[in-house]
Amino acid sequence: MSETKPTTSKPAAAAKPKKVIPRVSKSGEPKSKPESRSARAGITFPVSRVDRLLREGRFAPRVESTAPVYLAAVLEYLVFEILELAHNTCSISKKTRITPQHINWAVGNDLELNSLFQHVTIAYGGVLPTPQQSTGEKKKKPSKKSTEGSSQIY
């Protein structure tokens, strides 16, 4: 007593191709594909995110459009320098992974970065290795000279 609904067999409708509307500028020229501000500036760091953080941070009442591009480029340069020095430190100690200690050593051994990061503590960075004076050499004690051989008498 189960009733089944009669199915009507219609041929499957052919999928209609979507109309592609070409993007055209106001002057009638075809628009190019949208490009991010980072790609236009030729940098890796996200310009739009830096822009958003500058605006939300309320560092200034107005933010010029070139400010986040410049700041992102400076940040990218600093990161590149630190990672390059940390990589060199890593390869000297024959390690394949950069750790916070390598970053701390790299920053500490570079004069300019050290002055920039002088009030920064890197988590799990350890301490910089300082050269120890060799303990094998003993300092000579000054010998007591007799006053008999001196030409001046006090």
Side-chain angles (χ1 to χ4, degrees), residues 65-85:
S65 62
T66 56
V69 179
Y70 191 83
L71 182 58
V74 169
L75 289 173
E76 182 175 327
Y77 171 75
L78 284 174
V79 168
F80 177 78
E81 282 293 318
I82 291 170
L83 287 178
E84 183 182 15
L85 292 171

Side-chain angles (χ1 to χ4, degrees), residues 35-71:
E35 193 175 24
S36 70
R37 290 194 281 175
S38 297
R40 274 188 263 161
I43 58 177
T44 307
F45 267 51
V47 174
S48 296
R49 183 177 298 173
V50 172
D51 187 18
R52 177 178 53 86
L53 292 172
L54 279 174
R55 290 180 194 283
E56 287 177 357
R58 300 284 186 190
F59 299 108
R62 304 167 97 187
V63 177
E64 193 174 334
S65 62
T66 56
V69 179
Y70 191 83
L71 182 58

Side-chain angles (χ1 to χ4, degrees), residues 127-141:
V127 293
L128 287 177
T130 55
Q132 299 285 330
Q133 292 182 356
S134 60
T135 56
E137 298 177 12
K138 293 183 180 179
K139 293 183 180 178
K140 294 182 179 179
K141 294 182 180 178

Side-chain angles (χ1 to χ4, degrees), residues 106-119 128:
V107 168
N109 291 331
D110 188 65
L111 291 174
E112 294 170 339
L113 287 175
N114 194 15
S115 65
L116 182 65
F117 285 83
Q118 72 187 55
H119 298 295
L128 287 177

